[in-house]
Amino acid sequence: MVEDLLNQLLKTGGFKIGELTVEKTDRGFTVMGPNSDSESSPRVDCEAEAIHHKVRFDDKERYRPMYSAMTMPSNWHLDCQTVAELVQSLTTIYPLALEHMAAYREGGLTVTPMEQTLERQSGRYSKAAKLSGEGRQIAASTLCNHCIRTPVWQNESVEEGGVPCPEACSLMVAFCREAAAWQDELPSQAEVDAKVDFAAFHKSGNEIREEYLYHLYRDG
Amino acid sequence: MSRALLLVGHGSHLNPDSSAPVYMHAKELRTRALFDEVEAAFWKEEPNLSHALDGIASDDVTVVPIFISSGYFTKEIVPRELGLNDKLTEIGGRLIRYTEPIGAHPSLAKVIVQRAREAGAEGSEALAVLGHGTPRNPRSEQNVYDQADRVAQLGHFAEVVTVFLDQEPQLGKVFDLVKSQRIVMVPLFIADGWHVGQTIPAELEGAVKGLSSGQSRLRFGKAVGTHPSIVDVVEQLAEEAYSW
């Protein structure tokens, strides 16, 4: 299924996936990060560990626990000689993206509604299920707007070449847990602090937190 | 029939080092070419556990938890997220084998001994096995005690004691628990993360306050989970599971 998908995507000689640009070349394929080109951007070895190391942190040197977050570091490229190397590279950068794209195309993607994901949580994350319907909508639109994937579990349709998201991820669950706590005691807003870790939702200045709180305060 | 090995770990939303051992061991296991596929998935990193099987094509999948305790995560979270019923589960025509965590396997005791030796243990010291522990789950401590017992039975150290971060006996009490003047402490942790290298040494520094700077009474080893020999433990777990 993934091979068929890639053959389709490569028909025009190249394609975009998330924040990456893939181009077919005389010697195989080039994968470029944001704001990158194959001539002047530094080259990353086409090897899983090197790629993993490259995409582990964003341009602000913040850790990226969610590979699909729109925080891909910029100005780099890698060269793949074969389709297999291209698949491996894309899988390292965006785990399961190709599989989910292929499954979505075939109509076989298993989608889990947000309610189901939150209701099955236990321990400290069981509180996430207490987030109101409105809170869940705001959480989904806030966090997912920072992700390359389209939340199919929110009944959204995926555009051609887009990456579907079959289920709310662990970051969404963690964020819903924080947001549920804010229902009891609404924190005050703060300026976004670019140094705060992407997933440190409990910290004042976290961009996702402040965006969510902005919606809450704006909508009363 | 194609075989896959899936290593599952905790991972972290905040600490990039948490998943490093899982990736390291997966990489080594791929080179051993024992499985058609070797993949990794996490509770708190992508790829998440709930969709870990989406990227695996093999008909026979062995899941090995890279955890120390046979507790909350390995008994509840991992089976729930992967959709497992028991040691053997059929999902979509595939057979999923679910092993005990590496922390439960007897061969881990030898890795603890190796870590102690790397920290400078020569045999006459006391070995302190440091576990995480938790007051929330009494099952959490059992593998730590079992491993300490196995190490004691190997007979390499004058004494073997067990201490914990989050339950009694707390690690600062190690000096009360041993007779030996020289102690080697080995963390029975997966990663050199928040605790190892940061919190733990600070706590120990407080506990050894008063000793002269030239006196090296306690040596601290690296986390067991980052030792290269862990892949051998994983292999044994996987091969034992294949015989079910």
Side-chain angles (χ1 to χ4, degrees):
Chain A
M1 278 206 308
V2 167
E3 273 191 37
D4 290 342
L5 168 72
L6 268 183
N7 288 335
Q8 188 67 31
L9 290 171
L10 287 166
K11 266 186 178 169
T12 53
F15 61 94
K16 286 190 183 297
I17 176 171
E19 295 184 279
L20 302 176
T21 303
V22 179
E23 288 179 0
K24 204 169 176 181
T25 68
D26 294 336
R27 288 170 297 181
F29 309 94
T30 294
V31 179
M32 289 169 278
N35 305 314
S36 309
D37 68 72
S38 57
E39 298 295 322
S40 58
S41 295
R43 192 177 68 84
V44 174
D45 287 341
C46 185
E47 183 272 324
E49 199 169 351
I51 298 170
H52 178 81
H53 180 75
K54 181 63 196 174
V55 302
R56 197 76 167 141
F57 299 90
D58 63 16
D59 282 336
K60 301 184 188 89
E61 295 183 359
R62 295 181 308 171
Y63 166 49
R64 302 178 72 237
M66 193 167 76
Y67 292 97
S68 306
M70 287 185 190
T71 54
M72 178 78 66
S74 58
N75 194 30
W76 61 271
H77 82 280
L78 60 92
D79 298 312
C80 307
Q81 293 183 329
T82 64
V83 171
E85 282 186 357
L86 178 61
V87 170
Q88 184 58 54
S89 300
L90 294 177
T91 298
T92 302
I93 299 167
Y94 289 137
L96 298 178
L98 296 176
E99 286 84 356
H100 290 160
M101 288 169 77
Y104 185 79
R105 269 163 53 100
E106 301 291 320
L109 184 69
T110 302
V111 180
T112 305
M114 189 188 207
E115 181 178 352
Q116 208 172 308
T117 302
L118 297 184
E119 292 295 327
R120 76 166 187 261
Q121 300 305 315
S122 58
R124 61 196 300 262
Y125 290 107
S126 57
K127 194 174 175 74
K130 295 192 187 315
L131 185 61
S132 67
E134 182 195 2
R136 294 178 189 191
Q137 287 295 324
I138 300 174
S141 65
T142 302
L143 184 56
C144 295
N145 275 350
H146 290 262
C147 182
I148 65 152
R149 288 180 177 251
T150 303
V152 185
W153 46 268
Q154 280 281 90
N155 297 316
E156 292 190 31
S157 296
V158 186
E159 293 175 356
E160 185 67 30
V163 185
C165 180
E167 183 171 6
C169 63
S170 63
L171 255 78
M172 180 60 75
V173 171
F175 184 75
C176 288
R177 175 182 177 269
E178 291 299 321
W182 299 336
Q183 289 175 160
D184 301 326
E185 189 175 339
L186 189 64
S188 49
Q189 293 175 272
E191 290 291 318
V192 172
D193 182 352
K195 291 192 295 295
V196 176
D197 282 336
F198 183 83
F201 306 131
H202 57 291
K203 283 192 178 176
S204 182
N206 171 269
E207 61 190 291
I208 309 299
R209 168 191 168 106
E210 299 309 331
E211 209 172 303
Y212 181 91
L213 291 176
Y214 169 79
H215 282 292
L216 283 189
Y217 276 96
R218 182 192 66 182
D219 300 340
Chain B
M1 182 179 283
S2 54
R3 288 183 66 190
L5 177 67
L6 174 63
L7 304 185
V8 296
H10 190 286
S12 170
H13 288 161
L14 298 174
N15 180 4
D17 295 329
S18 176
S19 55
V22 179
Y23 282 118
M24 179 177 91
H25 301 317
K27 181 184 175 186
E28 171 59 25
L29 283 158
R30 287 187 191 106
T31 68
R32 297 191 178 189
L34 299 166
F35 300 90
D36 299 287
E37 301 170 84
V38 179
E39 299 295 343
F42 304 94
W43 173 227
K44 285 185 136 185
E45 286 178 43
E46 282 188 278
N48 282 164
L49 295 175
S50 54
H51 288 270
L53 296 174
D54 294 356
I56 293 176
S58 298
D59 307 306
D60 192 311
V61 184
T62 301
V63 181
V64 177
I66 309 300
F67 285 84
I68 295 298
S69 293
S70 301
Y72 176 62
F73 288 103
T74 60
K75 295 292 185 196
E76 189 173 332
I77 296 293
V78 174
R80 182 190 76 202
E81 295 296 305
L82 284 172
L84 307 180
N85 299 324
D86 206 335
K87 284 170 35 170
L88 291 171
T89 307
E90 189 176 316
I91 299 176
R94 297 192 284 188
L95 183 62
I96 317 297
R97 303 171 193 269
Y98 184 49
T99 76
E100 286 292 315
I102 59 170
H105 200 273
S107 62
L108 193 69
K110 291 182 185 170
V111 185
I112 297 172
V113 172
Q114 284 177 284
R115 274 299 192 219
R117 289 195 172 132
E118 288 159 11
E122 293 162 339
S124 55
E125 304 85 351
L127 173 71
V129 178
L130 173 65
H132 193 289
T134 172
R136 290 189 298 270
N137 187 347
R139 289 181 305 191
S140 177
E141 65 181 34
Q142 194 56 52
N143 287 350
V144 183
Y145 279 119
D146 288 347
Q147 295 296 354
D149 285 345
R150 292 186 185 114
V151 172
Q153 283 165 29
L154 290 172
H156 296 301
F157 302 97
E159 309 167 70
V160 180
V161 299
T162 306
V163 289
F164 295 92
L165 274 189
D166 266 5
Q167 67 177 69
E168 294 294 333
Q170 298 262 345
L171 73 93
K173 293 186 178 166
V174 68
F175 303 103
D176 301 326
L177 292 172
V178 302
K179 300 189 189 70
S180 300
Q181 291 297 305
R182 293 180 303 132
I183 308 167
V184 173
M185 185 174 288
V186 174
L188 199 53
F189 291 165
I190 295 299
D192 288 317
W194 291 121
H195 299 304
V196 180
Q198 296 178 45
T199 313
I200 296 178
E203 283 202 46
L204 280 178
E205 195 179 324
V208 302
K209 192 177 176 182
L211 293 175
S212 67
S213 58
Q215 186 175 351
S216 179
R217 183 178 174 183
L218 187 143
R219 292 183 183 185
F220 200 72
K222 290 184 182 178
V224 163
T226 55
H227 198 282
S229 295
I230 291 295
V231 293
D232 299 321
V233 180
V234 172
E235 253 188 60
Q236 288 183 64
L237 280 162
E239 283 315 302
E240 287 160 14
Y242 200 56
S243 66
W244 295 340

